[in-house]
Amino acid sequence: MFLNIRKKIAISFTFFILTSTLVWSLNLYNHYQLTKKIKLIDEKIELLNTVLECRRYEKNYFLYFNRTDLREAITYASNAEKKQADIIDKYKEAVRHLPLRGHLKNLKQYKALLTDLLNTDAGKHREKLLQKQIRTIGKQITDNIESIVSNEREKIRGLIYKTNLYLYGALIAIFVITAITVIFIALNVNAPLKSIEIAIHKIAKGDYSSIPPVSTGDIFESLVNSLNRMIEVLNRRNEQLIHSEKLASLGTLTSGVAHELNNPLNNISTSIQILEEEIEDGDVEYKRMLLEETENQIDRARDIIKGLLEFSRERRFVPRKVNFKKLVEKTMKLIKGEIPSNVTQHFRLDDSLEVRIGPHQIQRVIMNLVINAAHAMENGGGEMTITAERTDENTFCFQVRDTGEGIRKEDMERIFDPFYTTKEVGKGTGLGLSISHGIIESHGGRMEVESQEGMGTVFKVSLPLLCEIPEISRN
Ligand SMILES: Nc1ncnc2c1ncn2[C@@H]1O[C@H](COP(=O)(O)OP(=O)(O)OP(=O)(O)O)[C@@H](O)[C@H]1O
Ligand SMILES: [Mg+2]
């Protein structure tokens, strides 16, 4: 039988409260017993003191034969008798097993002997006899009460020991019950909540794998089931989205290729038509010019096709260990000629940045970004800063910053599209950023751009320090 979580918590708290109540009731009962015993012993000590006082007067009388002492002794004996009777009356249960009733009889007898001594003018012999009897019985009374008091003290000690034992036992019991309750709640509430939290974090990070099912039979089970259903729907939507995105980018790519190739092909066709028409004509110079133009246009078409090939090929790489600073320096040497002289270059590169990447592919990205920056500052000049540093134990980041013309807000969304370029015909194919973006993605990294029109642009690339072989290369 499965209980829902509210019932489970209610049961565990009821168990906790019941056990605590039981443990504390036991302790309270013990405490009550102890208080009662202490009161009883107080009264017995008072009785003992009265008897001792009585005996003091008795002894005085037998020393000095002063009748006042004898009277005092009788008064104290009466008091003791009354106290004894009171105790028997008040603590019937507690003194049932004690020989107090016998003492009461003794006390009565003792008092009678004292009174006898006071009232009768006995002769010396009789007085001696009474004295002997009084002393014996008086001693008996004191000894007995003393032994009762010490007995009671012993019992109280035992009771205190027991109470302490119960108290420690209670503390341990409550500690154990609290621990059990906490463990119970941790296992039944925290653990499923934690796994749900982890699953939600994973979803937020884009990992749509389903949560391991739980069979607690409570709200968590239905929550996990609902989340798994939601993940399923999200996965399906994602697939649809990827599919439609693929179609859209294929459309952009196709129309881009068509458009880009159409221009050189048109030009080639026009030149050939003119050559056909004027084949008999003697203007060799003009015909040579037309043939050169045709060759240029063929080169341009070849460039476009080369770019397209790279677009798909550059995503494949085998990671290698390289020093990132050295890689940037090597790349800068290759494209030295592309950077105008009015552009000042700054480098802030961590010497010790050892990374595992596809070196040719990342070199291609650096080239694209640096040449774009250089083009953006071509007219007015400016400053280009390249930085690279480790960002945490697993990632590093490099940036290419320029103070060039910047990117217009409306162009921002399109700069990563294949064939999107603002550069004049022949200067850019518009494939640089889309190729770079693909390369960074296949490395498991991210590329971001910030730009302000007229102020400059910064491209920020964040990459894992140790990149894995991309899926696409493994296949
Ligand atoms: N640093 C930059 N400053 C200003 N605009 C930029 C910068 N980098 C890119 N752009 C804009 O983004 C567009 C696309 O860049 P991308 O590198 O993809 O193509 P391209 O440079 O035009 O051509 P290609 O790189 O293929 O020769 C550029 O035409 C330009 O408008
Ligand atoms: Mg470019």
Side-chain angles (χ1 to χ4, degrees):
M1 180 193 63
F2 284 122
L3 293 172
N4 68 30
I5 193 66
R6 228 177 322 138
K7 280 187 187 148
K8 278 182 186 170
I9 292 178
I11 288 176
S12 65
F13 272 104
T14 315
F15 176 68
F16 179 75
I17 289 165
L18 280 182
T19 331
S20 310
T21 316
L22 188 76
V23 167
W24 286 116
S25 307
L26 258 172
N27 272 313
L28 278 178
Y29 176 71
N30 249 333
H31 183 256
Y32 166 73
Q33 290 282 82
L34 193 66
T35 323
K36 213 163 117 186
K37 277 259 179 247
I38 289 173
K39 260 194 199 156
L40 177 62
I41 201 171
D42 276 352
E43 299 216 18
K44 280 183 187 164
I45 287 171
E46 224 177 286
L47 172 65
L48 179 65
N49 288 341
T50 318
V51 170
L52 288 176
E53 199 62 8
C54 169
R55 296 228 51 217
R56 196 167 62 80
Y57 281 110
E58 170 218 304
K59 275 175 195 153
N60 275 355
Y61 172 73
F62 288 123
L63 274 179
Y64 311 111
F65 293 103
N66 183 346
R67 291 204 150 243
T68 325
D69 285 335
L70 191 55
R71 266 187 222 101
E72 280 295 325
I74 294 171
T75 318
Y76 273 103
S78 305
N79 281 350
E81 193 188 340
K82 219 169 119 247
K83 273 190 182 128
Q84 184 96 312
D86 267 2
I87 292 174
I88 293 173
D89 199 39
K90 240 203 274 178
Y91 301 96
K92 273 188 200 95
E93 265 304 297
V95 300
R96 201 164 32 94
H97 53 287
L98 295 177
L100 274 180
R101 284 174 203 279
H103 295 157
L104 188 60
K105 226 167 91 193
N106 279 353
L107 259 176
K108 275 194 174 122
Q109 202 182 344
Y110 176 71
K111 195 181 122 192
L113 286 171
L114 286 175
T115 320
D116 210 5
L117 194 64
L118 181 72
N119 292 339
T120 49
D121 199 4
K124 255 218 167 14
H125 175 72
R126 168 108 174 105
E127 192 158 321
K128 270 238 153 86
L129 194 73
L130 277 175
Q131 184 180 349
K132 203 175 160 205
Q133 276 181 339
I134 286 169
R135 282 215 161 123
T136 321
I137 205 159
K139 190 167 174 338
Q140 231 174 46
I141 292 170
T142 341
D143 285 355
N144 281 339
I145 296 186
E146 267 172 354
S147 98
I148 288 176
V149 168
S150 89
N151 248 349
E152 290 288 300
R153 275 208 182 103
E154 208 45 53
K155 274 188 193 151
I156 284 185
R157 248 177 243 127
L159 213 59
I160 288 176
Y161 175 73
K162 225 162 85 184
T163 312
N164 278 346
L165 218 64
Y166 279 161
L167 208 65
Y168 289 130
L171 280 180
I172 292 172
I174 286 184
F175 175 75
V176 170
I177 295 164
T178 313
I180 291 174
T181 315
V182 168
I183 291 171
F184 175 83
I185 290 178
L187 285 181
N188 285 277
V189 181
N190 272 14
L193 268 184
K194 191 83 212 155
S195 69
I196 291 173
E197 191 193 345
I198 292 171
I200 290 174
H201 272 300
K202 267 167 64 183
I203 297 172
K205 281 186 183 161
D207 177 355
Y208 294 109
S209 46
S210 56
I211 310 171
V214 293
S215 46
T216 48
D218 53 27
I219 189 160
F220 293 118
E221 188 176 328
S222 67
L223 196 62
V224 167
N225 289 344
S226 312
L227 276 172
N228 275 339
R229 271 198 299 277
M230 184 189 87
I231 291 171
E232 217 178 283
V233 173
L234 276 177
N235 271 333
R236 230 175 301 133
R237 292 255 165 90
N238 233 3
E239 271 166 27
Q240 285 167 355
L241 204 69
I242 289 171
H243 186 65
S244 47
E245 263 178 12
K246 267 187 194 160
L247 285 181
S249 57
L250 195 69
T252 320
L253 195 70
T254 324
S255 65
V257 176
H259 178 76
E260 286 293 314
L261 283 180
N262 209 25
N263 285 340
L265 286 179
N266 268 343
N267 293 343
I268 293 167
S269 156
T270 317
S271 299
I272 289 176
Q273 269 176 26
I274 298 172
L275 275 171
E276 268 176 359
E277 281 165 16
E278 301 189 6
I279 196 132
E280 305 293 329
D281 200 35
D283 191 351
V284 179
E285 227 13 72
Y286 180 59
K287 281 190 236 166
R288 182 170 290 125
M289 196 270 286
L290 279 178
L291 280 174
E292 270 171 17
E293 177 57 24
T294 313
E295 209 176 343
N296 281 344
Q297 294 302 324
I298 290 172
D299 281 348
R300 175 150 171 72
R302 197 183 288 134
D303 275 353
I304 292 166
I305 288 165
K306 207 170 109 199
L308 263 179
L309 284 175
E310 274 178 22
F311 184 68
S312 59
R313 199 179 53 227
E314 294 284 355
R315 286 159 195 251
R316 298 163 198 268
F317 68 91
V318 179
R320 264 204 357 238
K321 264 215 138 162
V322 287
N323 178 290
F324 196 75
K325 186 179 179 187
K326 284 195 184 139
L327 184 78
V328 173
E329 285 168 351
K330 207 165 107 189
T331 315
M332 292 312 286
K333 269 189 203 144
L334 291 177
I335 48 171
K336 222 172 31 213
E338 303 264 353
I339 303 169
S341 55
N342 55 2
V343 170
T344 325
Q345 301 171 39
H346 303 280
F347 296 94
R348 281 205 303 272
L349 306 161
D350 181 354
D351 290 343
S352 61
L353 192 57
E354 301 290 337
V355 296
R356 195 173 71 193
I357 50 175
H360 296 302
Q361 288 67 21
I362 298 299
Q363 199 169 33
R364 179 92 169 93
V365 176
I366 300 170
M367 275 183 189
N368 276 329
L369 297 183
V370 170
I371 293 173
N372 280 352
H375 283 169
M377 294 185 287
E378 215 167 32
N379 294 329
E383 309 211 351
M384 174 163 65
T385 315
I386 304 177
T387 60
E389 61 185 0
R390 205 181 163 126
T391 34
D392 63 49
E393 60 205 56
N394 297 319
T395 46
F396 76 101
C397 163
F398 74 88
Q399 300 188 359
V400 179
R401 184 183 293 273
D402 67 63
T403 55
E405 61 195 13
I407 305 170
R408 292 187 309 171
K409 268 210 178 76
E410 57 268 38
D411 293 339
M412 275 296 234
E413 275 177 23
R414 307 180 57 199
I415 56 170
F416 291 103
D417 288 351
F419 297 110
Y420 177 75
T421 180
T422 54
K423 294 172 191 171
E424 61 202 60
V425 180
K427 194 157 182 201
T429 56
L431 281 173
L433 280 181
S434 61
I435 291 175
S436 304
H437 191 263
I439 292 173
I440 297 304
E441 247 186 7
S442 64
H443 275 71
R446 250 186 15 242
M447 184 190 271
E448 284 165 13
V449 56
E450 285 167 24
S451 185
Q452 236 182 320
E453 228 184 309
M455 300 293 284
T457 307
V458 54
F459 279 87
K460 296 181 182 173
V461 178
S462 146
L463 280 169
L465 278 173
L466 303 173
C467 296
E468 303 289 334
I469 298 183
E471 297 263 308
I472 201 164
S473 295
R474 285 194 204 119
N475 296 339

